[in-house]
């Protein structure tokens, strides 16, 4: 299973990176979203596989999952939304100002 | 503790800045008095320290700052520091008085004094620092504040260029000095002067000694205007005369020779020192004296004479004999006194005549006899006339040249001959200053009619000229003890016995003096030939022009260099970023054998669900990739990946994450859908095949890297640090959901930061979209009914209370079961968002009259207040407490202070999400209706 999960992360990363390098703002948003999935899951997996119950402090829990990466990733997911929202606003602002959705609108020399 | 007064000496100028500025707003005299008080206070604070300083033992006071980095705030008062502190504060006090009369009535005197005080403070820091790092900081302060002082008349282009030049040269030297001091500190093993000065032998024997010495000398030479870095100094005459008198007599330029003197016990004594310091000093000494005669502007003459005298001091320090070190210190004192008085006298003449051209100013003795007498005495000292202080240090210098051990036998005539010629040049320019300005016929076409200045303006000059005479006539009485203790700082092995007396008998140095005078006068008399020669052969380009050219070209070069990497193209930055990360990863993995990529953990068997999820991820990714230019389709594929991620979290025992991911997924997709309206539905293919291949290669490498990394990590065991959290969650945090307890309790401070970031993102969006006007690309739905289907709208209204109840439930149980503020907030946001979707933004906004920005602020305030509340009970920030309540009718439940914190989280999340979505939705109401239909965006060329 380790290999399958690692491969899935690789696919997510590769797709995310490719889209990140595209010239339109929307593709960059898509790319960053895919990359966020990959990064979040990678951090989460820092707790390793093999947990048999959720990270609840109840008596008799059988190998509960590592709560720390989960706490880290939980806020990361929510902040990921904030980032996406900000990026989208930036893209729309650029569209409004420069009338193009190219990432280098009005900037590049 | 009188020693602690040293802090006051250093702090006084800095503390005085604000009061002086405030006083300057009231009146000129208030500003002058307050600035004078500050200088006098510094002197007063220094007085009780005098006995200790004269005993020859350095006083060191120290306050811990960053002891583990070898950085303490430490001050040191020894003879050398005392001498300079007296010069800085004493001459500073006279300058304050002088400037009050010199500067025009309309000037901002408060500001001027503030800059002057800041500069004086910087100088005091340099001369009083015990820690060399601290000395460097003050060194930079003097560079910066002298920049301000030189640019005081900033409306003049000359002043601006001069200030920039001074900053560039001394600042560049400061960089070299930084490197040198760091090297010195490492060689000596300490940045404390006491330690460094005691380890001279080890330092001189170190292989890095030459490099370090050159670096430190660069710093000292640029500051002291040594050839070939001298050119900033004459141009700095663009500053008002009080500034020139201060900077170029006792302070700024003396900082360089101070540094040489300060580090003399640690660095001097080698042949390299003799060659570098001695030669530079000698060249500067002669060059400055030669050029000074050619200057028609008398401030220019004084500037070059300053360069020349600094060269002499440097030469004396470079001679490596104890007596020459004593002579150097003596000349530092003498030069400060006569040069400050000369500058001030010159300022008076300038002030009275309105020009500084010596071809027009003549015969001033007739118009202002008293000022002229003062000027003549000071200039006599500069030339080395007997009975004046300059004569004494010059005689010491001549004696040293005759007896220097490195020049014996056939070479014994070299140094004395050189000294006589340089002395001759000094006599010539001094003679010119005296003869041209005060005698030589009548003034020619002056803008003003000159007369004696106000009584108080002349007083500082009188004080200094009195000192010139006092030192000249009674040297042993006037400066003997101070000179001995100051020279003692340079010569820890013992100061040689020296006798300060006016008459040493008829000897070779006296013959040299007489020769220098005779030749100097002759040189001056024949000056016209020299002027003609100079006119013919001197380069036509002046140093400010050359400097500005270099400055401009350097700017162009930097812009060009920057343009190579920073061309404003995000695509290029991202490509460079990814490439760099890949390169780092490859570098980190180099030499790792392939079989070690797999760790020792046993492989978990693959089940059908995992395979299916994998297939779905690949399906979603490939779909997003293939159709990324058809945005709606891309979003659909993207949502597949998001859903699979949520399911994966459930499968991997992370219910909190699954809930969060799911709700974030919903709001993200809605967010992206909202933008579609304003972005073109399809992107025209803008990438060339080569570009696609390059990006594909980068992406593929990144994917492979992450796969390898993830696989290597997953197959290796690890030591978790979560054991504490699992064990303490219930007894310490009062909850069984460890993830939530970590978020709101164990790591509550982190969460506070995170919701602050979220709030910032939402506010940023709010600000960005303010006033944005966009043209929708496609025709909208045809009718109101079509936009908001009636069934959906009605259903959603019924569902809202239910959904909010779920949200509250999730929130309340969060401490013990999956849930909590983040998830509840997201669910509530989704529930409210559905109203916007189903019934339209106008309908929802009219009923939900909520100012999300305020909710955002309130949420942050509640979270912070929860943290602060624990201070009231004397606990650290965000300490939580909890208890159980037993309300009637329902089961007992728990109340934790962390819950209030979680409420803040909840509010911030709800408000951020809804702020983002409603702002984006509201954009459609501000559409530009002028031209229907899309206008294709111009396809930009790739860069």
């Amino acid at each position: 299973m380790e290999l399958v999960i690692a491969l899935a992360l690789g696919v997510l990363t590769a797709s995310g990176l490719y889209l990140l390098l595209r010239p339109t703002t929307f593709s960059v948003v898509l790319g960053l979203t895919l990359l966020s999935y990959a990064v979040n899951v990678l951090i989460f997996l820092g707790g390793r596989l093999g947990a048999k119950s959720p990270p609840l402090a109840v008596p008799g829990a059988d190998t509960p999952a590592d709560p720390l990466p989960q706490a880290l990733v939980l806020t990361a997911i929510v902040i990921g939304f904030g980032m996406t929202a900000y990026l989208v606003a930036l893209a729309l602002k650029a569209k409004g100002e420069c009338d193009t959705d190219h990432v280098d609108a009005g900037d590049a020399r | 503790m009188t020693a602690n007064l040293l802090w006051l000496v250093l702090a006084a100028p800095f503390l005085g800045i604000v009061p002086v500025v405030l006083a300057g707003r009231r009146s000129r005299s208030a500003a002058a008095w307050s600035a004078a008080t500050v200088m006098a206070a510094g002197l007063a604070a220094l007085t009780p320290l005098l006995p200790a300083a004269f005993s020859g033992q350095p006083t060191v006071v120290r306050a811990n700052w960053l002891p583990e980095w070898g950085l303490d705030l430490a001050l040191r008062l020894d003879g050398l520091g005392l001498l300079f502190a007296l010069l800085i504060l004493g001459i500073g006090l006279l300058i304050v008085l002088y400037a009050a009369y010199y500067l025009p009535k309309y000037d901002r005197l408060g500001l001027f004094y503030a800059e002057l005080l800041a500069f004086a403070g910087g100088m005091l820091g340099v001369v009083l620092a015990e820690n060399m790092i601290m000395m460097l900081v003050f060194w930079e302060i003097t560079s910066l504040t002298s920049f301000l002082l030189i640019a005081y008349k900033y409306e003049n282009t000359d002043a601006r260029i001069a200030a920039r030049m001074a900053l560039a040269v001394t600042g560049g030297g400061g960089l070299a000095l930084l490197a040198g001091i760091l090297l010195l500190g490492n060689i000596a093993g300490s940045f404390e002067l006491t330690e460094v000065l005691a380890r001279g032998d080890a330092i001189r024997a170190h292989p890095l000694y030459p490099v370090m010495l050159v670096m430190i000398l660069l710093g000292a030479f640029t500051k002291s205007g040594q050839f070939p870095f001298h050119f900033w100094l004459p141009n700095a005459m663009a500053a008002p005369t009080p500034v020139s008198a201060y900077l170029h007599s006792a302070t700024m330029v003396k900082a360089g020779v101070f540094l040489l003197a300060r580090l003399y016990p640690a660095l001097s004594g080698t042949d390299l020192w003799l060659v570098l310091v001695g030669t530079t000093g000698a060249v500067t000494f002669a060059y400055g004296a030669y050029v000074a005669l050619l200057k028609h502007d008398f401030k220019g003459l004084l500037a070059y004479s300053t360069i020349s005298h600094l060269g002499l001091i440097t030469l004396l320090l470079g001679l490596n004999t104890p007596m020459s070190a004593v002579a150097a210190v003596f000349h530092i004192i003498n030069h400060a006194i006569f040069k400050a008085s000369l500058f001030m006298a010159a300022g008076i003449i300038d002030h009275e005549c309105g020009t500084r051209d010596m071809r027009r100013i003549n015969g001033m003795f007739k118009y202002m006899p008293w000022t002229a007498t003062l000027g003549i005495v000071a200039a006599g000292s500069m030339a080395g006339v007997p009975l004046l202080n300059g004569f004494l240090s010059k005689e010491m210098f001549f004696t040293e040249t005759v007896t220097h051990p490195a020049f014996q036998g056939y070479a014994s005539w070299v140094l004395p001959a050189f000294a006589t010629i340089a002395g001759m040049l000094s006599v010539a320019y001094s003679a010119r200053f005296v003869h041209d300005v005060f005698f030589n016929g009548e003034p020619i076409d002056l803008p003003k009619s000159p007369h004696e200045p106000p009584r108080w303006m002349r007083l500082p000059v009188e004080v200094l000229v009195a000192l010139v005479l006092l030192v000249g006539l009674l040297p042993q009485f006037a400066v003997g003890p101070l000179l001995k203790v100051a020279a003692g700082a340079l010569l820890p092995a013992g100061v040689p016995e020296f006798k300060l007396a006016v008459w040493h008998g008829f000897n070779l140095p006296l013959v040299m003096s007489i020769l220098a005078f005779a030749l100097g006068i002759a040189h001056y008399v024949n000056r016209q030939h020299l002027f003609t020669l100079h006119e013919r052969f001197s380069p036509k380009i002046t140093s400010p022009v050359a400097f500005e050219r270099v400055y401009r070209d350097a700017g162009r070069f930097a812009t060009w260099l920057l343009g190579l990497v920073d061309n404003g193209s995000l695509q290029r930055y991202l490509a460079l970023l990814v490439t760099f990360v890949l390169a780092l990863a490859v570098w980190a993995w180099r030499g790792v054998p392939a079989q070690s990529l797999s760790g020792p953990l046993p492989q978990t068997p693959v089940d059908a669900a995992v395979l299916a999820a994998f297939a779905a991820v690949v399906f979603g990714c490939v779909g997003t990739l293939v159709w990324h230019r058809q945005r709606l389709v891309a979003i659909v594929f993207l949502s597949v990946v998001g859903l699979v991620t949520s399911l994966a979290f459930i499968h991997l025992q992370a219910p909190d994450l699954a809930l969060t991911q799911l709700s974030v997924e919903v709001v993200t997709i809605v967010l992206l859908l909202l933008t579609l309206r304003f972005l073109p539905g399809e992107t025209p293919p803008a990438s060339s095949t080569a570009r696609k291949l390059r990006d594909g290669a980068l992406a593929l490498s990144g994917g492979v890297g992450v796969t390898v990394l993830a696989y290597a990590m997953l197959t290796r065991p690890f030591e978790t640090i979560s054991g504490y959290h699992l064990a303490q969650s219930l007894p310490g945090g009062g909850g069984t959901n460890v993830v939530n307890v970590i978020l709101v309790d164990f790591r509550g401070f982190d969460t506070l930061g995170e919701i602050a970031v979220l709030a910032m993102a939402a506010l940023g969006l709010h600000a960005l979209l303010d006033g944005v006007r966009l043209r929708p690309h496609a025709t909208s739905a045809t009718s109101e009914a079509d936009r908001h289907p009636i069934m959906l709208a009605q259903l959603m209204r019924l569902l809202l209370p239910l959904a909010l109840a779920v949200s509250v439930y999730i929130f309340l149980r969060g401490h013990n079961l999956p849930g909590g503020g983040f998830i509840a907030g997201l669910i509530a946001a989704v529930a409210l968002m559905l109203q916007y979707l189903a019934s339209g933004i106008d309908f929802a906004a009219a009923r939900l009259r909520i100012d999300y920005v305020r909710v955002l602020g309130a949420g942050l305030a509640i979270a912070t207040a929860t943290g602060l509340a624990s201070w009231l009970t004397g606990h650290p920030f965000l300490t939580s407490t909890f208890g159980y309540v037993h309300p009637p009718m329902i089961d007992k439940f728990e109340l934790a202070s962390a819950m209030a914190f979680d409420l803040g989280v909840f509010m911030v999340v709800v408000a951020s999400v809804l702020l983002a979505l409603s702002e984006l939705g509201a954009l459609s109401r501000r559409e530009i209706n002028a031209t229907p239909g899309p206008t294709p965006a111009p396809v930009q060329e790739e860069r």
Side-chain angles (χ1 to χ4, degrees):
Chain A
M1 189 153 102
E2 282 79 1
L3 189 62
V4 176
I5 290 177
L7 277 175
L9 287 181
V11 171
L12 278 172
T13 312
S15 320
L17 284 179
Y18 184 75
L19 287 174
L20 194 66
L21 295 167
R22 302 274 53 74
T24 47
T25 50
F26 193 77
S27 310
V28 173
V29 175
L30 291 179
L32 270 179
T33 313
L34 286 177
L35 266 185
S36 312
Y37 292 142
V39 172
N40 286 342
V41 173
L42 187 65
I43 295 173
F44 165 74
L45 289 176
R48 302 297 189 276
L49 303 169
K52 296 205 174 57
S53 66
L56 297 179
V58 286
D62 179 23
T63 47
D66 194 341
L68 210 53
Q70 296 202 14
L72 288 176
V73 171
L74 198 152
T75 49
I77 294 172
V78 180
I79 286 184
F81 168 77
M83 181 192 69
T84 310
Y86 187 81
L87 209 59
V88 159
L90 210 55
L92 290 179
K93 179 86 173 171
K95 177 75 167 54
E97 301 273 317
C98 310
D99 203 32
T100 166
D101 64 343
H102 196 284
V103 286
D104 297 341
D107 231 357
R109 287 184 287 272
Chain B
M1 276 289 284
T2 44
N4 281 324
L5 279 173
L6 206 51
W7 296 112
L8 185 63
V9 176
L10 178 60
F14 293 112
L15 294 178
I17 291 174
V18 172
V20 167
V21 170
L22 293 179
R25 292 202 184 145
R26 295 180 63 87
S27 73
R28 287 172 67 88
S29 58
W33 276 112
S34 52
T37 310
V38 172
M39 294 283 188
L43 278 177
L46 201 57
T47 316
L49 299 164
L50 289 180
F54 272 108
S55 76
Q57 282 302 312
T59 310
V60 175
V61 288
R62 177 182 304 276
N64 275 350
W65 185 19
L66 294 169
E68 61 272 28
W69 288 4
L71 205 54
D72 277 346
L73 292 175
L75 298 184
R76 164 196 187 88
L77 186 74
D78 58 5
L80 193 66
L82 174 72
L83 167 65
F84 270 90
L86 287 175
L87 287 176
I88 293 162
L89 289 167
I91 296 187
L93 184 59
L94 297 176
I95 295 286
V96 167
L97 175 62
Y98 180 77
Y101 290 92
Y102 181 86
L103 291 174
K105 291 270 176 275
Y106 47 81
D107 264 25
R108 303 135 297 180
L109 212 52
L111 192 66
F112 174 80
Y113 283 132
E115 291 174 5
L116 195 75
L117 285 180
F119 174 76
M123 278 306 300
L124 283 171
V126 171
V127 303
L128 295 179
E130 154 77 2
N131 187 293
M132 293 196 296
I133 302 284
M134 202 176 137
M135 183 175 77
L136 270 175
V137 173
F138 283 105
W139 182 276
E140 293 301 323
I141 290 179
T142 63
S143 289
L144 289 174
T145 47
S146 64
F147 167 79
L148 292 176
L149 284 169
I150 296 170
Y152 177 69
K153 289 186 273 191
Y154 56 80
E155 54 283 352
N156 292 355
T157 316
D158 287 353
R160 292 201 303 272
I161 294 178
R164 204 151 62 201
M165 201 190 270
L167 186 66
V169 176
T170 57
L175 279 180
L177 180 63
L178 171 65
I181 291 290
L182 291 180
L183 274 176
L184 177 58
N186 274 323
I187 292 172
S190 168
F191 284 97
E192 303 293 312
L193 275 174
T194 312
E195 307 272 326
V196 173
L197 297 185
R199 290 179 200 166
D201 290 332
I203 292 169
R204 284 185 287 266
H206 197 276
L208 279 175
Y209 169 77
V211 185
M212 179 265 298
L213 183 64
V214 168
M215 289 294 169
I216 290 182
L217 290 183
L218 274 176
F221 288 170
T222 49
K223 199 85 162 178
S224 282
Q226 297 296 303
F227 188 86
F229 309 110
H230 63 283
F231 56 89
W232 70 266
L233 202 151
N235 286 296
M237 293 298 141
T241 299
V243 172
S244 310
Y246 198 38
L247 261 58
H248 300 150
S249 65
T251 53
M252 172 80 169
V253 296
K254 286 281 167 65
V257 288
F258 167 81
L259 185 73
L260 296 181
R262 172 54 93 208
L263 298 176
Y264 193 82
L267 302 181
S268 74
T270 61
D271 287 345
L272 189 64
W273 172 275
L274 176 71
V275 170
L276 289 179
V277 181
T279 314
T280 309
V283 171
T284 312
F285 179 29
Y287 173 82
Y290 168 73
V291 178
L293 180 65
L294 303 173
K295 292 286 147 186
H296 299 306
D297 170 356
F298 59 63
K299 250 180 112 177
L301 185 151
L302 291 179
Y304 274 97
S305 102
T306 300
I307 293 175
S308 171
H309 281 277
L310 289 165
L312 171 58
I313 297 169
T314 307
L315 170 61
L316 282 168
L317 287 169
L319 284 180
N320 268 344
T321 59
M323 248 342 263
S324 64
V326 175
V329 176
F330 194 23
H331 201 63
I332 288 174
I333 305 175
N334 292 335
H335 177 252
I337 295 174
F338 72 67
K339 193 47 73 65
S341 61
L342 267 177
F343 266 116
M344 286 196 254
I348 291 175
I349 298 163
D350 173 17
H351 201 250
E352 295 298 323
C353 298
T355 174
R356 306 193 312 222
D357 191 335
M358 283 187 288
R359 287 165 299 190
R360 288 161 69 193
I361 303 172
N362 305 117
M364 280 304 129
F365 192 81
K366 202 159 76 185
Y367 296 91
M368 38 174 105
W370 184 229
T371 307
T373 311
L374 295 172
I376 291 167
V377 172
S381 176
M382 177 163 77
V385 173
L387 303 184
L388 303 173
N389 65 353
F391 171 74
L392 296 169
S393 41
K394 190 190 69 177
E395 285 295 296
M396 270 187 171
F397 164 56
F398 282 179
T399 313
E400 277 312 293
T401 62
V402 175
T403 59
H404 195 275
F407 295 85
Q408 293 303 330
Y410 290 116
S412 63
W413 58 273
V414 174
L415 264 185
F418 170 80
T420 313
I421 293 170
M424 168 195 97
L425 294 170
S426 308
V427 170
Y429 69 72
S430 305
R432 175 165 193 206
F433 180 76
V434 172
H435 183 246
D436 255 6
V437 174
F438 299 118
F439 305 100
N440 202 17
E442 281 297 303
I444 305 162
D445 189 24
L446 290 184
K448 289 178 173 179
S449 54
H451 50 75
E452 285 284 352
R455 176 82 197 80
W456 292 99
M457 187 174 181
R458 219 171 44 209
L459 180 74
V461 192
E462 288 164 358
V463 170
L464 288 169
V465 169
L467 280 174
V468 165
L469 285 167
L470 184 67
V471 175
L473 293 171
L474 300 166
Q476 187 58 41
F477 163 76
V479 290
L482 182 62
L483 178 57
K484 190 169 164 57
V485 72
L490 273 73
L491 305 164
V495 184
E497 282 302 315
F498 58 87
K499 202 165 121 244
L500 292 177
V502 178
W503 179 250
H504 283 280
F506 192 81
N507 50 15
L508 188 55
L510 190 63
V511 175
M512 287 162 66
S513 272
I514 295 167
L515 209 57
F517 266 98
L519 290 173
I521 301 293
H523 187 56
Y524 169 65
V525 171
N526 292 311
R527 66 190 180 283
Q528 281 310 331
H529 304 294
L530 202 64
F531 291 169
T532 329
L533 271 176
H534 181 68
E535 292 281 312
R536 192 180 301 164
F537 291 110
S538 69
K540 289 293 164 280
I541 180 166
T542 57
S543 63
V545 173
F547 173 78
E548 281 300 293
R549 238 177 242 176
V550 172
Y551 184 81
R552 194 192 54 203
D553 291 346
R556 281 191 189 152
F557 175 71
T559 315
W560 171 78
L561 199 64
L562 201 61
L564 287 185
V565 280
D566 174 21
N567 68 343
S569 163
L570 182 74
Q571 274 188 287
R572 174 183 291 201
Y573 299 163
L574 287 174
L576 284 175
L577 178 75
V578 173
T579 313
F580 188 65
V581 171
L582 283 172
L584 278 182
V586 168
W587 187 72
W589 279 92
R590 78 199 185 290
V592 175
Q595 64 268 25
S596 76
L597 290 182
S598 173
L601 278 191
Q603 303 275 329
T604 326
V606 181
D607 54 24
V610 171
L611 275 184
F614 176 71
V617 166
V618 174
F619 173 74
C621 285
V622 171
T624 317
L625 274 183
V626 171
W627 280 284
H628 76 267
R629 283 185 283 111
Q630 292 172 32
R631 288 167 173 153
L632 187 59
V633 184
I635 292 177
V636 173
F637 277 103
L638 186 71
S639 64
V640 172
V641 183
L643 285 176
V644 175
T645 313
S646 317
L647 292 173
F649 283 138
I650 295 184
H651 190 71
L652 298 171
Q653 308 294 355
D656 286 283
L657 291 191
L659 283 170
T660 314
Q661 182 70 60
L662 192 64
S663 16
V664 163
E665 199 53 39
V666 173
V667 289
T668 307
I669 297 299
V670 172
L671 184 87
L672 292 181
L673 285 172
L674 280 173
T675 62
L676 283 188
R677 190 174 168 77
F678 304 103
L679 294 173
E682 243 182 80
T683 318
S687 300
S688 63
T689 314
R691 172 61 64 93
K692 283 182 183 163
L693 282 176
R694 186 201 77 178
D695 293 348
L698 281 177
L700 211 59
S701 322
V704 170
V706 168
T707 306
V708 170
L709 179 69
Y711 185 71
M713 180 184 82
L714 283 174
T715 49
R716 281 175 163 73
F718 81 120
E719 191 72 35
T720 179
I721 55 167
S722 308
Y724 168 82
H725 299 116
L726 277 168
Q728 286 299 315
S729 180
L730 192 55
T736 52
N737 182 5
V738 189
V739 174
N740 184 265
V741 175
I742 289 177
L743 283 176
V744 299
D745 194 334
F746 294 138
R747 309 291 311 165
F749 207 7
D750 291 354
T751 309
L752 186 61
E754 276 149 1
I755 58 174
V757 170
L758 187 65
M760 275 184 241
L763 286 176
L765 172 138
H766 179 62
L768 270 179
L769 291 183
D770 186 36
V772 167
R773 298 187 76 81
L774 290 161
R775 185 184 295 119
H777 73 93
T779 41
S780 319
T782 44
S783 72
E784 192 63 21
D786 220 22
R787 280 189 188 199
H788 308 295
I790 189 102
M791 283 298 287
L792 181 67
Q794 292 303 325
L795 198 60
M796 285 307 134
R797 280 169 216 174
L798 282 177
L799 269 178
L800 177 64
L802 205 58
L804 289 180
V806 170
S807 166
V808 172
Y809 169 67
I810 292 278
F811 176 78
L812 287 177
R813 72 173 216 167
H815 220 43
N816 292 311
L817 289 167
F822 277 107
I823 298 166
L826 286 165
I827 291 175
V830 170
L832 290 168
M833 179 190 75
L834 281 174
Q835 302 307 310
Y836 283 94
L837 284 185
S839 309
I841 188 133
D842 294 319
F843 174 88
R847 279 153 190 81
L848 275 173
R849 284 184 231 118
I850 304 169
D851 184 349
Y852 295 118
V853 178
R854 287 188 180 205
V855 179
L856 207 62
L860 276 180
I862 290 177
T864 315
T866 319
L868 293 177
S870 55
W871 275 356
L872 294 180
T873 55
H875 289 90
F877 189 68
L878 268 175
T879 309
S880 72
T881 175
F882 63 93
Y884 295 90
V885 287
H886 299 271
M889 304 285 284
I890 51 175
D891 198 6
K892 71 157 191 181
F893 75 97
E894 178 200 351
L895 269 183
S897 71
M899 238 167 172
F901 183 75
D902 220 10
L903 179 66
V905 173
F906 173 84
M907 288 167 72
V908 171
V909 171
V910 173
S912 302
V913 172
L914 286 177
L915 186 65
L917 293 173
S918 63
E919 294 263 334
L920 277 175
L923 277 181
S924 59
R925 284 189 301 174
R926 295 191 249 143
E927 288 164 6
I928 302 166
N929 296 317
T931 46
T935 40
V939 178
Q940 288 216 343
E941 301 235 339
E942 282 185 55
R943 281 168 289 255

